[in-house]
Structure formats: C-alpha cells, structure tokens
Amino acid sequence: MYVKPKKELGQHFLKDLSIAQRIAELLTGHGSYKEILEIGPGTGVLTQFLLEDSRFATYVIEIDRESVEYLKQHFPALEGRILSADFLNIRPDYLPAKKADSTESFAVIGNFPYNISTQILFKVLDMRDRVPEIVGMFQREVAQRVASGPGNKDYGILSVLLQAWYDIKYEFTVNPEVFNPPPKVYSGVLSLRRNNVTDLGCDFRKFTQVVKHGFSQRRKTLRNALKPLNPSDEALASPFMDKRAEQLNVAEFVALTRLMINDE
C-alpha cells in the first residue's frame, strides 16, 4: 500500500531512518511518564523506533485516513492505539488513549506539519501539567524562534510562553532532501522538557496578554506597546517600560505582569 503525501495536510514524509531513530532517542523519560503520543505519524517512519522502546506505550494520532489504514496494516503493535482524529480539535482529556477524563502524563513527539506546528505547541502548552517532554521536528525558523533567548531577533511570543514552563534545546538541523516530497525549507529538531515551575507568580492569562501585546509592536518600547492594556501607575514607573519586548526574559515579563494589573 502506497500513501501519497497530501499537500493540503502539509505532509512531507521522512525517508532517512537514521534521522528518525535519532529523533526517537531524544526521549529521555523526563517526568516519569509511561505513554507517548506521536502526532502525524504518516507511514510510521518514526513510529517504528518508538515501538522498539519498551519503556513506553506508544499511541499515534493521525488525521489522514489513508495513513491510518497503512498504519493498521503495517504496525499490528498499534492495535487499539491509533486515534483517527485531528489533534487540534480533539478534547485534551481524551489524550493520549482516547479515554475521557485522562489525567496521566505523556510525552508528545512528531515530525509536525509546518502549517500547524505553532498551533500544536499552543495546545500542548495548555496541557503543560500533563506533558513533561516534547520532541519535535519543525520548520527551522520556527524551531529557532522557540529556542531563542532575549536580545535575539527570533525571540518572540512563543519563545517566552514556552520557556516559562519548559527548558528548550535546539538539537539539530535536517536537510530538505531526506523528505518525500522535499520541502522548500530546512527543518529543525527541538527537545522541550518541563521545568520545575508550578506557579509563575502571576495569572498566566494576563501574562500571555502582556507578552502578546509587547511583541505586537516589537520595535516600540513597552510603554507604547502596552498602552491598550491601561497599565497601572506602578507599571508606568517601571524601567521595563523603556525597553522593547525582545529585551525582557521570562522572569522580567512575570515581574512586569504583576505591576501591570490594577486590582479590580
């Protein structure tokens, strides 16, 4: 059975087995999880190496029905562990095994479709207390953005929000030629491991609002970028306001958020 990569799903199937194995081996078990969810397994190039790791039970979620049928035929070990669904639309408590009200922790891994990779990260961020480890392949520019630190032109909203909860490492770059069809860009592999933060010290929704507004006009100082949020007098007096968003680290954004919000 041959599965044709579908442009509308952003499918680029990895052909290089050594790279697939290298990605699988980045899972460390950090956080003591017992289950893995692979997003978009396609024809199972990465899946085969995940199944070889006896530490974990591997589940996959795939939106492409043709790929689902291929996986059922070629990977009998996945019986009962294939979710034919859209990761972005499935209820979080159904993951990884499509059992309602799941609370167990699990790792997320995959060669993520470029067109939805940031959406995948935002959804995983919402499940951060259940997902202690993430390993993924992204468009290189996205991977660099996620891993970038303050003062870097790639540093942005996703960098700050993810780095608040995860330690992030850019692992390696992947050439287009190892995919079918080859994408027009290079890829980058990231590993994200949950840090020890359980409480930022401020409301995460408000923190997110401050970060997003701060970077919405990244060339302006925060004094100008954050005007729509009606900052408190304490915030306006802060030296943070004379900086641009890309100059603040996570802890400084937390401190600014605490100053920003007037008690209602």
Side-chain angles (χ1 to χ4, degrees):
M1 180 180 179
Y2 173 73
V3 179
K4 182 180 179 181
K6 298 169 184 62
K7 186 176 182 180
E8 66 272 16
L9 295 179
Q11 290 178 327
H12 297 273
F13 294 148
L14 182 63
K15 300 184 295 182
D16 190 315
L17 296 182
S18 64
I19 292 176
Q21 183 174 16
R22 191 175 173 189
I23 293 170
E25 289 175 349
L26 288 172
L27 287 174
T28 64
H30 173 82
S32 302
Y33 57 86
K34 301 298 182 184
E35 298 173 325
I36 301 169
L37 179 65
E38 182 187 0
I39 299 173
T43 57
V45 173
L46 174 60
T47 315
Q48 61 187 309
F49 295 105
L50 299 177
L51 289 170
E52 289 177 0
D53 195 331
S54 60
R55 295 177 298 170
F56 312 119
T58 297
Y59 294 82
V60 301
I61 183 166
E62 176 60 67
I63 194 173
D64 178 23
R65 293 181 182 276
E66 193 176 18
S67 292
V68 168
E69 290 305 313
Y70 182 96
L71 293 167
K72 287 179 178 178
Q73 288 186 27
H74 291 80
F75 296 94
L78 283 177
E79 184 176 357
R81 295 182 180 177
I82 301 174
L83 286 71
S84 181
D86 181 353
F87 175 77
L88 297 180
N89 291 326
I90 195 169
R91 276 173 43 181
D93 66 310
Y94 270 33
L95 300 171
K98 208 171 183 180
K99 296 177 182 176
D101 303 319
S102 296
T103 59
E104 295 297 315
S105 62
F106 62 98
V108 169
I109 191 168
N111 300 323
F112 302 137
Y114 295 150
N115 56 342
I116 61 167
S117 61
T118 56
Q119 293 169 269
I120 289 171
L121 286 174
F122 276 119
K123 180 157 185 174
V124 171
L125 188 61
D126 288 339
M127 298 185 287
R128 59 189 176 273
D129 291 334
R130 293 187 60 213
V131 182
E133 188 164 42
I134 309 159
V135 173
M137 178 141 43
F138 304 82
Q139 182 174 331
R140 181 171 60 178
E141 287 73 16
V142 173
Q144 290 172 332
R145 192 184 315 148
V146 171
S148 289
N152 190 303
K153 64 180 177 62
D154 295 324
Y155 185 66
I157 295 169
L158 204 55
S159 319
V160 177
L161 298 183
L162 284 166
Q163 289 173 28
W165 305 103
Y166 289 91
D167 296 324
I168 302 171
K169 182 180 179 183
Y170 186 100
E171 297 286 355
F172 58 91
T173 299
V174 182
N175 295 330
E177 292 76 19
V178 300
F179 295 93
N180 174 37
K184 296 179 180 179
V185 295
Y186 282 80
S187 302
V189 175
L190 290 178
S191 61
L192 301 87
R193 296 183 180 95
R194 192 73 165 79
N195 59 28
N196 294 322
V197 174
T198 56
D199 182 357
L200 281 184
C202 66
D203 182 85
F204 185 58
R205 183 185 61 81
K206 294 175 180 176
F207 172 80
T208 301
Q209 192 177 38
V210 169
V211 172
K212 287 184 174 179
H213 272 78
F215 281 101
S216 66
Q217 302 180 71
R218 61 185 302 146
R219 293 185 178 181
K220 293 187 176 183
T221 63
L222 289 166
R223 187 177 305 279
N224 291 316
L226 297 179
K227 275 183 180 178
L229 297 182
N230 298 314
S232 66
D233 291 339
E234 290 83 357
L236 290 171
S238 167
F240 295 138
M241 286 297 197
D242 297 318
K243 296 183 177 183
R244 296 189 303 277
E246 66 187 42
Q247 296 176 282
L248 270 60
N249 61 28
V250 171
E252 289 169 331
F253 266 113
V254 169
L256 179 57
T257 301
R258 296 175 67 177
L259 292 173
M260 278 285 298
I261 309 300
N262 286 301
D263 291 333
E264 296 178 357

